[in-house]
Amino acid sequence: QKEVEQDPGPLSVPEGAIVSLNCTYSNSAFQYFMWYRQYSRKGPELLMYTYSSGNKEDGRFTAQVDKSSKYISLFIRDSQPSDSATYLCAMKDATGGTSYGKLTFGQGTILTVHP
Amino acid sequence: EAGVTQFPSHSVIEKGQTVTLRCDPISGHDNLYWYRRVMGKEIKFLLHFVKESKQDESGMPNNRFLAERTGGTYSTLKVQPAELEDSGVYFCATGTGGYGGYTFGSGTRLTVV
């Protein structure tokens, strides 16, 4: 069983839609949770990180963590064609900060927002 | 601030040959990581340097892979001899070790034929 499960999609939505991306995990040691966006032929780019259960909002993006259910989500409001990319969840244990130690990634969800 | 630079961006080699990938980190980032994505699979951790020391190499697949970090600056990942299953995209990421996130390079796409 994979430590992190993420539906690879692909997911296709119209412009303006609310997008929900999800990951589940099995390792209770994971304490930091991140969402990365990856455009084609580019490296992953950090969107958000959280380390507690609850919601964190940044503009059109909201990250949600439920540690009791081992479930994290990323919501994108008012989606735009420029949001079309692969979205990766990633997580790590509590050692050091959020830029220390190995990340465990989900498989990534391919999102297309069409005009 | 310059980002994480990886080269070559793409390499095609024959099975049995040797390939060396290079990563130039962001200046001041002591933590350097190598990851790999094989087609259809998730990005997987290979190893972690703190300055020039290997902190964690638990993800290295076998002894055909050798990573070095000279003087705590740039890093190289050598595959010798390359096998077909080594094909994939190799990412380098660096970080300060504190909070915030890792910065990834654009990756090296390795194709072994």
Side-chain angles (χ1 to χ4, degrees), chain A residues 17-113:
Chain A
I18 296 174
V19 176
S20 172
L21 304 166
N22 312 294
C23 289
T24 59
Y25 63 97
S26 58
N27 190 343
S28 298
F30 292 145
Q31 296 295 318
Y32 295 115
F33 306 93
M34 303 170 202
W35 286 95
Y36 283 84
R37 176 176 61 195
Q38 186 180 15
Y39 292 114
S40 181
R41 305 286 176 170
K42 297 292 186 182
E45 169 197 13
L46 180 66
L47 278 177
M48 300 180 72
Y49 71 88
T50 59
Y51 44 83
S52 58
S53 286
N55 294 349
K56 180 178 180 179
E57 192 172 313
D58 184 1
R60 296 185 294 111
F61 298 90
T62 299
Q64 190 175 78
V65 173
D66 182 348
K67 289 186 179 179
S68 63
S69 301
K70 296 190 178 66
Y71 186 90
I72 69 171
S73 299
L74 178 70
F75 298 96
I76 307 174
R77 291 185 299 280
D78 187 25
S79 56
Q80 302 296 309
S82 58
D83 294 328
S84 298
T86 297
Y87 289 80
L88 303 150
C89 65
M91 41 199 85
K92 66 179 293 292
D93 64 22
T95 305
T98 53
S99 67
Y100 184 90
K102 70 178 183 182
L103 290 175
T104 301
F105 283 87
Q107 195 171 346
T109 301
I110 299 170
L111 171 67
T112 301
V113 181

Side-chain angles (χ1 to χ4, degrees), chain A residues 2 32 34 36 38 41-44 46 49 51 86 88 92 96-103 105-108, chain B residues 31 33 35 37 40-43 45 48 50 55-56 58 91 95-102 104-106 109:
Chain A
K2 291 180 182 178
Y32 295 115
M34 303 170 202
Y36 283 84
Q38 186 180 15
R41 305 286 176 170
K42 297 292 186 182
L46 180 66
Y49 71 88
Y51 44 83
T86 297
L88 303 150
K92 66 179 293 292
T98 53
S99 67
Y100 184 90
K102 70 178 183 182
L103 290 175
F105 283 87
Q107 195 171 346
Chain B
N31 294 269
Y33 306 82
Y35 288 85
R37 182 166 196 164
K41 302 284 189 180
E42 67 275 17
I43 297 173
F45 167 83
H48 170 198
V50 178
Q55 181 69 22
D56 180 357
S58 61
F91 292 105
T96 60
Y99 289 85
Y102 308 81
F104 280 79
S106 293
R109 185 173 299 272

